[in-house]
Amino acid sequence: MIGIVDSSIGGLTIAREAEQLLPEHSLLYLGDIARLPYDRQDPATIVKYSIENTQFLVDNGAKIIIIGCNSTASIATETIRQTFDIPVFEIIHPTVQKAVKVSHHERIGIIGTRATISSNIYSNAVKNSRPECKVFQKACPLLVPLVDEGWIAKKETKMILKKYLYGLKNQQPDTLILACTHYPMLKQLIQSRIGKKVTLIDSSIEVVKHVKRYLKNAPELLPAENFSQVKHRYVVTGLTETTEYVASQILKRPIQLQLA
Ligand code: DGL
């Protein structure tokens, strides 16, 4: 069983990809909605919450962990790896590998939460793997609450995106990393605002492809169950009026969230 640890519901974009690309694996997802947004927490608190949440997944049978939130992955990956003796996957490095591979003009934009952008983890990883790349970053803290509220196609969301992407667009990136698992829900708006020639790199897709490659060489982690026994559980620490609606928009099917 694959555990996905998340701060709210953005990590469901990873679950959606995992349901498609790893259909033989059961998923256990935990979204820590009661304590969001992690973006506003100090790093020690993000680490503490992440350990508690990962413990829940491990206690309930997860054999590998995907960190479904870039803010968490930026800050807590090493501690999670040191605490749990199972494979732990983060989103950042597979995403950067893809971005540096597809960038033609070595101009890479990165958008994410304040926690992710101020950690500089993406820009450092880009520089390490392709030092000649120019990197342009922009924190977009209002986008997560807009997605959590289901304001995906509202004109206010378009206006905010326009403001966030204005300076970045002027830098003429050829590739833009969506360094937040909420942003795939805004992909079309982001693409039309930044320009259709810019290649968007979706961190949620890249991490699942990476896990799939890893699992090919890890037969001990292949599920013993057959397809009819595959079960997905979506658990949250809190529910708002909109959570289940937005979750079903992300997963593109009706979903019942369970309270932890
Ligand atoms: N979806 C999370 C991410 O990828 C952001 C949510 C949060 O910061 O609470 O960074």
Side-chain angles (χ1 to χ4, degrees), residues 134-154:
K134 293 232 172 332
V135 176
F136 313 100
Q137 303 196 82
K138 179 72 186 165
C140 308
L142 291 174
L143 299 185
V144 166
L146 287 168
V147 172
D148 282 345
E149 278 302 306
W151 283 34
I152 313 277
K154 296 251 185 194

Side-chain angles (χ1 to χ4, degrees), residues 3 16 21 30 34 38 54 74 90 94 97 113 129 138 143 165 169 181 183 191 210 215 253:
R16 176 176 76 195
L21 285 178
L30 178 65
Y38 278 20
T54 308
S74 307
E90 48 80 20
Q97 270 168 24
T113 63
S129 58
K138 179 72 186 165
L143 299 185
L165 296 181
K169 190 174 175 176
T181 52
Y183 298 177
Q191 186 81 71
H210 179 65
L215 287 172
R253 61 176 173 79

Side-chain angles (χ1 to χ4, degrees), residues 20-125:
Q20 299 296 319
L21 285 178
L22 300 165
E24 68 279 30
H25 288 268
S26 298
L27 302 177
L28 173 60
Y29 169 91
L30 178 65
D32 195 6
I33 287 175
R35 302 192 286 196
L36 68 89
Y38 278 20
D39 197 20
R40 286 176 181 264
Q41 311 287 357
D42 63 284
T45 306
I46 294 179
V47 170
K48 177 177 174 286
Y49 290 172
S50 311
I51 296 297
E52 290 168 5
N53 296 339
T54 308
Q55 187 69 60
F56 171 89
L57 297 174
V58 171
D59 290 347
N60 284 278
K63 297 284 181 267
I64 73 170
I65 298 292
I66 301 177
I67 303 174
C69 164
N70 285 270
S71 312
T72 308
S74 307
I75 287 154
T77 299
E78 275 328 300
T79 316
I80 297 174
R81 283 193 173 136
Q82 282 159 16
T83 310
F84 300 95
D85 194 19
I86 56 175
V88 173
F89 294 90
E90 48 80 20
I91 319 168
I92 296 149
H93 290 90
T95 306
V96 166
Q97 270 168 24
K98 174 75 178 214
V100 297
K101 196 166 152 200
V102 303
S103 173
H104 293 304
H105 303 292
E106 293 156 347
R107 298 181 74 79
I108 297 185
I110 302 165
I111 54 174
T113 63
R114 268 203 198 100
T116 300
I117 297 301
S118 62
S119 76
N120 281 321
I121 195 156
Y122 270 93
S123 57
N124 290 338

Side-chain angles (χ1 to χ4, degrees), residues 141-207:
L142 291 174
L143 299 185
V144 166
L146 287 168
V147 172
D148 282 345
E149 278 302 306
W151 283 34
I152 313 277
K154 296 251 185 194
K155 68 175 187 316
E156 291 83 353
T157 306
K158 289 183 191 161
M159 279 164 54
I160 289 168
L161 259 177
K162 184 174 173 186
K163 194 155 176 65
Y164 278 146
L165 296 181
Y166 177 77
L168 202 58
K169 190 174 175 176
N170 285 343
Q171 302 289 348
Q172 301 186 311
D174 64 82
T175 303
L176 179 65
I177 296 177
L178 308 183
C180 173
T181 52
H182 280 73
Y183 298 177
M185 294 305 289
L186 300 170
K187 221 182 219 173
Q188 282 174 350
L189 292 186
I190 293 171
Q191 186 81 71
S192 65
R193 180 48 49 197
I194 198 78
K196 59 179 187 303
K197 287 193 184 143
V198 178
T199 307
L200 301 190
I201 309 294
D202 178 338
S203 58
S204 303
I205 294 177
E206 295 313 317
V207 69

